[in-house]
Amino acid sequence: MLTTIRVNGVDRAVEVDPRTSLLDFLRERVGLKGTKKGCDHGQCGACTVLVNGVRINACLSLAVMHDGDEVLTVEGLADGEALHPVQQAFLSEDAFQCGYCTPGQICSTVGLLAEVAAGQPSEVTADLAGPVTLSDAEIRERMSGNICRCSAYPQILAAVRRAAGAAA
Amino acid sequence: MKPFAFERARDVDHALSLAAASPGARFLAGGTNLLDLMKLEIEQPARLIDVGRLPLAEIAETAAGGLRIGALATNTAVASDPRVRSRYPALARAILAGGSVQLRNKATVGGNLMQRTRCPYFMDAAKPCNKRLPGSGCSAMEGLSRSLALFGASEMCVAVSPSDMSVALAAFDAVAETVRADGSVRRRPVETLHRLPGEAPQVDTDLAPDELVLAVELPPPPPGPQAWRKVRARASYTGAIASVAVAGDRVALGAVAARPWRARLAEAALADGASAAEAAAAELAHAEGPEGRRSLVRRITADAIREAREGAAS
Amino acid sequence: MSTVRDWAAPNPVTENRSGLIGKSVDRYEGRLKVTGTAPYAFEVETPSQPLYGHIVSATIARGRITSIDVSQAAAAPGVVLAWSHLNVPTQAQRGAKLNPRSQRGSNPTLASDRVEHYGQSVAFILADTPENARAAGGLVRVAYAAEDADLDFLSSLDLAGPAPGEEDARVGDFEAGYSASEVTVDDTWFSPLQNHAQMEPCATTAWWEGDKVVVHTSIQMVKGGQHALAETLGIPSDRVRLFTRYIGGGFGGKGQSYDDLTLAALAARESGQPVRVAYTRQQMFQATIHRPAVQMRVRLGADRTGRLNAMALEAVTHCARNAPFVEHAANFARNLYAAPHRLTGHRLVRLDIPHAGAMRAPGEAPGMLSLECAMDELAETLGLDPIELRIRNEPEVDPDNAKPFSVRQLVRCMREGAQQFGWDRRNPTPGAVRDGRWYVGMGMATAIRGNFLLPAKAGLRLTGDGLATLTQGMTDIGTGTYTILAQITGETLGLPLDQVRVELGDSDMPPAPGSGGQFGAATAGSAAFETGMVMRRRLAELAAGDPRSPLYGEDPTLMDFANGNIVLGNRSESLAALAARAGPDGVYVEGGISPAADARDWSQHTYGAQFAEVGVDSVTGEVRLRRMFGVFAAGRILNAKLAKSQITGGMIWGVGAALTESNAVDPRYGSFLHQDLGGYLAPVHADIVNLDAVLLDEADDKANPMGIKGVGELGICGAGAAIANAVYNACGVRLRDYPLTPDKVMAALEAKGL
């Protein structure tokens, strides 16, 4: 099926097999391999991308479901040579080791900052009726959909805090 | 993944007529469970009808003072809705306890109701499983998995529903509204939307193949406090070992049956003036399965009731 | 051969005049990783359009394939070829070595009709797209004749035999010492089967250039992978060019190659096109190695003052029937505490399950989960603080062999950790501290992990643009190899970091043993250092011998290197100019390191102390970390930031081992209960609360010329035991069956009437 997805600001019109996941569309059809396949079942978060500004698991979505959507991947974050503040924060805080979960963690952080700005609660939000503040507990819970087996969690926490400070 | 035909529904009628015309078709909304199972060839639909863009995502007040949640509202949208947060906090908390943000951003209310069990033997196509392959047997009954049903299981199947959200919905007496190609609209309590396994565990619900969930309707919340509790080994991003939702005088248990389990015996005991512990014991007196698991559910049930009451007192 | 005394000479690294050694510079390849442009094995550019492979796995534990039909798969859309054992191209017999010096023998796949474990490869599909390959895999029809299999570890303990080539280590007379002790502990612990769960599944991209195959694969050991593939294909290893530049996690699980490598190479040869093959997540669980379960009996005998008189750690573990491996869970106990009467050893059960193998800190990781809790029990019995008990048993020399310690700062780790953690606020009475619904407790444990150095080489080229490029057949599995080699090279040559390049993971480069056993930094780093020193000598001699150099005729041994220049007094010349004159390719040298002849005269380890505070939900038995802190001593630290990432990462593995991680073999099928990341619970971010670590100043002058040691595995050692001890302190429940999941904790609470 001819499917057009705007990826990082560029329209990509591709004839795809309906079985092609959004993840494989990005990696194998468009050549954007920054988005990683860790489990292919929504159980690790390595494939996290932003679709129309919202973070999702690209592995549990079909490319054909996203005809006309805007997708932002890790490759679309930097402004030329200048890293996105979240990327810079991950680099400065050493918030990764092997790097395989990192694009997902970074896209997840971008999504998280928008979700918090929009006042969306999490499981650890004490007062559901009140405003949402970005405590460490909130960051940890909201980043729990991205497994890091190298276990860079303390540094990821620091990176998200740093990025949140930069965004504020 | 087996090959399938893909079609995007233009509107609800189109979706329904496609479904009625194509045996083996499945509606596709968020896809977070269906595509997961299709990759494992546990689900092998001949056709996917993409209903994801139908205008069914609205959350609106009802005349009765409740909320009508469109079937395509995402889990995140529901949990973030100020009306849900203020009036149905146990529902918001139940939703937020499920999956990850990424999954909740994609998964819909309708899809959440339709998700299938995560029993590891169901998820492994090489294993006997009456739910996946009728008549092949049940590997879970004598298996290693501890997430077995305490209520309503049969000799054929001991799988449990993985949905956290539906536990809270059951406690709120929520109703699922569906429509079929012939235009007939049905309203079923979420509590009994799912069948108990009986002799046919392969059939999760009574919904017809061409029957689409349109919305979930919440009556006004019952008076009184609410509570939500989910037990799990990992602090996040994992299914419940057991869960409990309390809404006023209603109690529902999760991950203990093929459907969200309304603890009617506990509720009756509470109405008769029983303590939280007595009410929990009344419900669990009729549970089957390992003692430890029954004990855990008894403890969290009593605790959640107690917490709700203390919350009301303070 | 050198001796460790040769290492005492001053050198640029110990002098550290540029300050690059120890500096928290950003990860060398970090920019590629945060922009998603570091190509992992499945992602490398291919010379032409690739094909995609998919492996079909066995669904019995042991037996024979009676029939296998790939014809339907072969006829499916897009399929290029479909193989079973009946039509796979010829490979060398298992274990065969064309070259006797190959590090690995042939490891053929689809080799016969025999099935030796669940998940073994039985068929392979090559197709034009990943979707077509996988769907065709579902069309392969296999019939088996299953045979009896030994699958369940705990019910097969009576099958346990001696570990091959090993005897129990005995010092003194354990039995007599134990029975004469005033106070004893005798308990048994169980650590379950665990999976590496690297984020990147094993994957290979392969293509042929004439009679040479180029493979990009995800493996920790360059030479091992190259040799295994060459021997399997039956070709000389110089016809296999293996790259492994970026590796999405290894942890020991990628210390060897798997069928993705063999099948990609074979399929690329047969199809004439590049081929990509990756394991599915389910295959990662079922068809790669795992950490085996270990049952450990610990007996401690002490006098009333807490002096250990006797200690025993006896471990029973398992491996695959035809792939011997021993999880050396008792070894660490030989070097940790003083006790005149000692017994340690291993028994092995052979099962018909996937291969057991090395996983981060093999031995110590499960082993310390027993002894370090037994010490906690003994401390309680004696009414001693657990730290005081350990200090009273601090040996003066290695208790196993009476060798002197190279350096041992274990007591300092415990004391500084106690102080920084606030150990004095621990209430020794279990169950005494409540925070709402939570029981709160603290626990500690020690950490010990051996230090190793293996032979390694490196190459170093200085070019006319002033760049130094270090090349080594080494790997960086997230450990920081690229970064520390750049720092060492920069410091050794007096070059700023932006003039240093590091290239790794190529079988054509000077060989290094790869990443594992926390030997990587010491081994690869020492080789880089020695190579840098060779380069210094070469450049100095070039300058001294070149009339165009301002340093012409001077004594090369007096020349120094700083700021990109070679310097003597007030005369200097840039390295760039020197290299440019040397020729178009600049100057290239190689160097290397081998263990010193007398390295084994010292007992050489890394040490640490782990502290944890947990909450135990009084209703559900859920255990949640509240804070965790560790102090470690691991030689000279090359990059404080990266070393800490390694250490805290290890500690978090300990959290997983203590609380969530386990797998089990279903004795009816031989398969694992958990075959994905939804079932196998590696820690997520929410599990890790307020976790931090400190590395002490140290330089181990017996380790290598730079005094560095490894940090990759030390962090996991003892971490889980500290948590288990904290659980006991919180609620008075001693659980010896890991992980401490809510069902077990709650049952224990109930048994106590709580």
Side-chain angles (χ1 to χ4, degrees):
Chain A
M1 298 182 71
L2 183 66
T3 299
T4 304
I5 303 176
R6 195 168 179 80
V7 185
N8 302 331
V10 179
D11 277 333
R12 305 283 194 159
V14 179
E15 192 65 39
V16 296
D17 185 323
R19 294 172 295 181
T20 305
S21 66
L22 177 59
L23 175 59
D24 283 336
F25 175 90
L26 294 169
R27 284 169 63 84
E28 308 303 332
R29 305 307 306 276
V30 175
L32 292 172
K33 297 163 189 294
T35 308
K36 302 305 182 195
K37 184 182 285 189
C39 72
D40 214 22
H41 287 274
Q43 298 167 342
C44 78
C47 66
T48 302
V49 297
L50 296 131
V51 174
N52 304 328
V54 175
R55 56 173 160 157
I56 65 164
N57 301 113
C59 71
L60 287 186
S61 215
L62 299 174
V64 290
M65 294 163 71
H66 293 286
D67 191 34
D69 281 346
E70 292 207 18
V71 175
L72 180 63
T73 73
V74 70
E75 291 96 339
L77 290 174
D79 181 7
E81 285 298 298
L83 294 178
H84 186 281
V86 174
Q87 292 172 314
Q88 184 59 54
F90 270 68
L91 183 57
S92 300
E93 298 290 349
D94 201 40
F96 56 91
Q97 294 193 252
C98 83
Y100 200 76
C101 75
T102 311
Q105 301 273 2
I106 287 172
C107 286
S108 216
T109 303
V110 173
L112 175 156
L113 296 175
E115 290 153 9
V116 171
Q120 293 177 3
S122 86
E123 189 182 5
V124 299
T125 306
D127 177 11
L128 283 180
V132 172
T133 52
L134 197 57
S135 66
D136 286 357
E138 287 278 4
I139 294 172
R140 287 192 286 259
E141 164 58 23
R142 290 164 190 267
M143 291 300 287
S144 284
N146 293 84
I147 294 178
C148 173
R149 187 55 162 163
C150 298
S151 301
Y153 297 127
Q155 305 93 286
I156 292 169
L157 176 74
V160 176
R161 266 200 309 240
R162 181 191 279 241
Chain B
M1 204 181 278
K2 297 286 188 196
F4 55 84
F6 178 88
E7 202 132 11
R8 176 172 292 167
R10 292 186 300 271
D11 51 38
V12 171
D13 286 346
H14 183 221
L16 297 174
S17 62
L18 283 171
S22 14
R26 292 290 304 269
F27 296 117
L28 174 69
T32 53
N33 184 233
L34 182 56
L35 296 174
D36 180 21
L37 296 175
M38 285 172 64
K39 289 182 188 204
L40 299 168
E41 299 194 353
I42 291 164
E43 294 276 7
Q44 303 183 5
R47 175 188 294 263
L48 286 183
I49 303 161
D50 183 1
V51 298
R53 299 192 186 192
L54 300 183
L56 295 173
E58 197 187 355
I59 303 173
E61 298 278 356
T62 65
L67 284 180
R68 180 184 168 87
I69 300 171
L72 293 175
T74 64
N75 284 280
T76 294
V78 178
S80 302
D81 187 280
R83 296 161 294 185
V84 174
R85 287 156 71 176
S86 62
R87 284 147 59 186
Y88 306 91
L91 174 60
R93 293 219 178 272
I95 292 172
L96 293 170
S100 65
V101 181
Q102 290 96 311
L103 290 167
R104 297 194 296 271
N105 283 345
K106 190 94 188 320
T108 65
V109 166
N112 187 308
L113 291 179
M114 301 309 293
Q115 72 182 305
R116 311 205 66 190
T117 185
R118 301 287 158 82
C119 175
Y121 298 100
F122 173 77
M123 298 287 286
D124 181 349
K127 301 295 189 298
C129 170
N130 287 323
K131 188 181 268 301
R132 182 166 26 75
L133 188 64
S136 60
C138 173
S139 309
M141 208 105 49
E142 306 290 327
L144 300 176
S145 169
R146 280 171 279 190
S147 296
L148 307 183
L150 299 182
F151 300 100
S154 74
E155 289 300 305
M156 303 288 281
C157 183
V158 291
V160 301
S161 160
S163 170
D164 294 324
M165 181 190 79
S166 67
V167 182
L169 288 177
F172 286 114
D173 276 337
V175 169
E177 184 181 291
T178 62
V179 62
R180 294 189 61 179
D182 62 7
S184 60
V185 172
R186 286 194 59 176
R187 294 166 59 82
R188 297 179 182 87
V190 169
E191 179 193 346
T192 50
L193 188 66
H194 290 78
R195 297 157 46 111
L196 294 176
E199 294 299 307
Q202 71 274 20
V203 186
D204 282 2
T205 71
D206 289 327
L207 267 59
D210 66 344
E211 194 167 0
L212 179 68
V213 181
L214 288 175
V216 167
E217 232 172 74
L218 287 162
Q226 301 173 18
W228 164 258
R229 180 68 49 79
K230 174 174 175 175
V231 183
R232 59 212 140 153
R234 193 160 77 177
S236 187
Y237 199 14
T238 186
I241 296 172
S243 68
V244 55
V246 178
D249 53 3
R250 301 182 211 147
V251 182
L253 310 179
V256 296
R259 57 168 59 146
W261 191 260
R262 264 297 279 277
R264 300 274 177 189
L265 297 171
E267 292 174 13
L270 289 173
D272 287 344
S275 70
E278 290 163 346
E283 189 69 35
L284 271 298
H286 296 269
E288 294 176 80
E291 165 59 26
R293 200 161 145 66
R294 282 184 281 146
S295 197
L296 174 69
V297 175
R298 185 174 45 72
R299 289 168 72 108
I300 63 166
T301 303
D303 191 60
I305 294 169
R306 210 176 292 124
E307 178 191 302
R309 289 180 165 186
E310 284 166 10
S314 65
Chain C
M1 197 160 203
S2 67
T3 84
V4 297
R5 293 181 212 291
D6 303 334
W7 295 345
N11 67 52
V13 161
T14 54
E15 290 175 359
N16 197 20
R17 279 187 276 166
S18 310
L20 284 178
I21 301 302
K23 193 174 178 186
S24 290
V25 302
D26 292 346
R27 214 166 269 270
Y28 176 86
E29 78 290 9
R31 209 183 156 85
L32 297 179
K33 287 178 173 174
V34 300
T35 54
T37 51
Y40 295 80
F42 196 80
E43 302 163 356
V44 293
E45 291 289 326
T46 50
S48 60
Q49 178 66 27
L51 299 170
Y52 295 86
H54 177 72
I55 296 168
V56 179
S57 305
T59 56
I60 62 164
R62 181 163 177 264
R64 206 166 53 78
I65 299 167
T66 53
S67 76
I68 183 160
D69 178 7
V70 298
S71 60
Q72 212 186 331
V79 172
V80 175
L81 56 83
W83 288 337
S84 70
H85 67 280
L86 299 173
N87 64 341
V88 72
T90 306
Q91 303 156 78
Q93 289 277 321
R94 191 193 289 192
K97 282 187 180 179
L98 201 65
N99 180 348
R101 295 197 306 178
S102 284
Q103 293 177 10
R104 302 286 171 98
S106 171
N107 182 29
T109 179
L110 312 179
S112 78
D113 62 352
R114 293 295 310 169
V115 174
E116 294 188 352
H117 66 81
Y118 195 103
Q120 177 187 311
S121 306
V122 295
F124 174 75
I125 309 295
L126 188 70
D128 56 348
T129 67
E131 294 82 16
N132 279 335
R134 187 150 180 198
L139 300 174
V140 175
R141 293 288 162 260
V142 195
Y144 302 96
E147 298 167 8
D148 285 347
D150 294 319
L151 298 171
D152 188 47
F153 172 53
L154 285 179
S155 66
S156 306
L157 293 178
D158 56 332
L159 301 177
E166 287 183 31
E167 288 180 4
D168 290 345
R170 288 181 173 273
V171 176
D173 182 344
F174 169 75
E175 283 77 10
Y178 181 76
S179 56
S181 295
E182 294 172 312
V183 181
T184 58
V185 169
D186 178 359
D187 281 307
T188 300
W189 280 261
F190 180 74
S191 170
L193 191 152
Q194 297 170 338
N195 298 99
H196 301 75
Q198 312 94 330
M199 299 310 297
E200 180 208 21
C202 292
T204 301
T205 299
W207 64 85
W208 288 74
E209 294 174 353
D211 64 356
K212 282 185 70 168
V213 64
V214 177
V215 292
H216 290 258
T217 193
S218 187
I219 190 168
Q220 295 170 230
M221 316 303 194
V222 177
K223 280 288 164 198
Q226 180 198 26
H227 292 172
L229 180 59
E231 294 295 352
T232 306
L233 298 177
I235 60 177
S237 60
D238 62 5
R239 284 169 53 194
V240 173
R241 179 91 180 264
L242 184 142
F243 293 95
T244 177
R245 288 173 172 154
Y246 302 101
I247 299 158
F251 314 116
K254 294 176 182 170
Q256 63 185 86
S257 57
Y258 297 98
D259 292 350
D260 59 300
L261 176 63
T262 311
L263 287 165
L266 287 173
R269 191 179 69 195
E270 296 299 310
S271 68
Q273 280 180 259
V275 168
R276 302 194 198 279
V277 183
Y279 274 24
T280 65
R281 178 51 62 183
Q282 289 74 13
Q283 288 167 338
M284 286 303 292
F285 278 85
Q286 206 68 66
T288 73
I289 60 170
H290 56 262
R291 191 199 302 284
V294 194
Q295 192 189 66
M296 296 162 278
R297 182 184 184 193
V298 178
R299 283 175 287 173
L300 300 177
D303 65 20
R304 299 239 172 252
T305 70
R307 290 288 298 229
L308 283 171
N309 185 44
M311 64 173 290
L313 200 177
E314 296 163 283
V316 190
T317 179
H318 62 80
C319 68
R321 186 170 306 284
N322 297 318
F325 173 83
V326 182
E327 181 81 27
H328 283 117
N331 279 6
F332 79 94
R334 295 171 184 167
N335 316 106
L336 189 52
Y337 300 121
H341 305 292
R342 318 165 64 83
L343 166 62
T344 47
H346 306 89
R347 296 290 180 276
L348 196 56
V349 180
R350 294 186 187 241
L351 299 174
D352 300 295
I353 68 170
H355 297 189
M359 178 163 144
R360 199 171 191 172
E364 284 84 347
M368 298 197 82
L369 293 170
S370 64
L371 178 66
E372 283 303 287
C373 292
M375 288 294 281
D376 203 65
E377 295 185 23
L378 180 61
E380 192 194 24
T381 306
L382 292 164
L384 275 180
D385 183 275
I387 293 175
E388 179 58 29
L389 173 66
R390 287 167 171 89
I391 290 173
R392 289 186 188 182
N393 289 287
E394 176 70 5
E396 288 177 6
V397 295
D398 191 307
D400 188 49
N401 47 37
K403 289 179 186 174
F405 295 115
S406 59
V407 51
R408 175 167 162 129
Q409 300 203 73
L410 176 59
V411 171
R412 188 174 157 212
C413 287
M414 288 191 282
R415 289 203 164 121
E416 294 209 3
Q419 202 250 326
Q420 293 195 50
F421 182 76
W423 181 250
D424 58 347
R425 296 200 299 273
R426 170 180 178 265
N427 186 326
T429 307
V433 180
R434 279 293 282 263
D435 178 7
R437 59 188 291 113
W438 299 92
Y439 300 111
V440 178
M442 297 186 199
M444 64 81 58
T446 60
I448 180 173
R449 172 78 179 139
N451 187 59
F452 312 97
L453 189 131
L454 302 176
K457 293 183 173 149
L460 183 57
R461 186 180 299 282
L462 186 72
T463 42
D465 52 7
L467 290 180
T469 303
L470 185 92
T471 53
Q472 192 175 46
M474 178 60 190
T475 53
D476 185 330
I477 60 175
T479 39
T481 316
Y482 281 108
T483 315
I484 60 160
L485 295 186
Q487 289 174 273
I488 291 168
T489 301
E491 188 61 59
T492 307
L493 294 185
L495 278 175
L497 275 186
D498 61 6
Q499 284 176 255
V500 180
R501 300 284 178 272
V502 180
E503 295 176 4
L504 303 177
D506 177 346
S507 59
D508 276 4
M509 292 175 178
S515 304
Q518 82 170 17
F519 55 65
T523 297
S526 297
F529 166 76
E530 291 292 345
T531 306
M533 296 302 285
V534 172
M535 178 64 90
R536 280 172 69 111
R537 282 193 291 277
R538 171 72 63 81
L539 294 175
E541 285 161 10
L542 271 178
D546 186 345
R548 291 166 293 182
S549 171
L551 288 88
Y552 175 65
E554 298 293 344
D555 180 354
T557 62
L558 299 178
M559 295 180 194
D560 207 350
F561 291 74
N563 304 316
N565 296 314
I566 182 165
V567 185
L568 185 66
N570 56 6
R571 277 176 292 161
S572 74
E573 178 176 29
S574 75
L575 300 190
L578 199 51
R581 280 202 309 277
D585 295 330
V587 181
Y588 178 77
V589 301
E590 289 190 1
I593 187 89
S594 292
D598 51 354
R600 289 293 144 202
D601 291 351
W602 282 267
S603 170
Q604 203 177 95
H605 300 271
T606 57
Y607 297 95
Q610 309 261 15
F611 295 83
E613 179 180 315
V614 303
V616 178
D617 188 305
S618 57
V619 175
T620 65
E622 291 163 290
V623 180
R624 297 286 182 257
L625 191 65
R626 293 165 73 98
R627 58 196 184 98
M628 189 157 183
F629 185 72
V631 177
F632 302 90
R636 186 189 309 279
I637 297 305
L638 295 168
N639 181 317
K641 182 160 73 171
L642 271 59
K644 190 167 151 182
S645 293
Q646 281 280 80
I647 281 285
T648 54
M651 292 166 73
I652 292 167
W653 274 55
V655 177
L659 299 181
T660 57
E661 289 186 43
S662 75
N663 215 333
V665 178
D666 193 314
R668 300 165 298 172
Y669 310 113
S671 55
F672 291 138
L673 172 64
H674 302 304
Q675 300 178 30
D676 60 33
L677 296 172
Y680 186 83
L681 300 183
V684 295
H685 202 142
D687 290 301
I688 306 308
V689 179
N690 301 335
L691 185 145
D692 202 1
V694 164
L695 285 148
L696 296 180
D697 281 337
E698 182 175 290
D700 189 334
D701 62 3
K702 309 298 188 297
N704 47 59
M706 296 184 291
I708 62 173
K709 294 194 280 199
V711 292
E713 297 182 337
L714 178 60
I716 185 173
C717 302
I723 290 172
N725 291 337
V727 168
Y728 176 74
N729 181 243
C731 65
V733 163
R734 284 270 184 218
L735 283 172
R736 302 181 185 92
D737 176 14
Y738 292 97
L740 311 187
T741 48
D743 52 333
K744 297 176 198 168
V745 178
M746 192 218 70
L749 289 174
E750 283 219 319
K752 287 176 64 80
L754 294 170

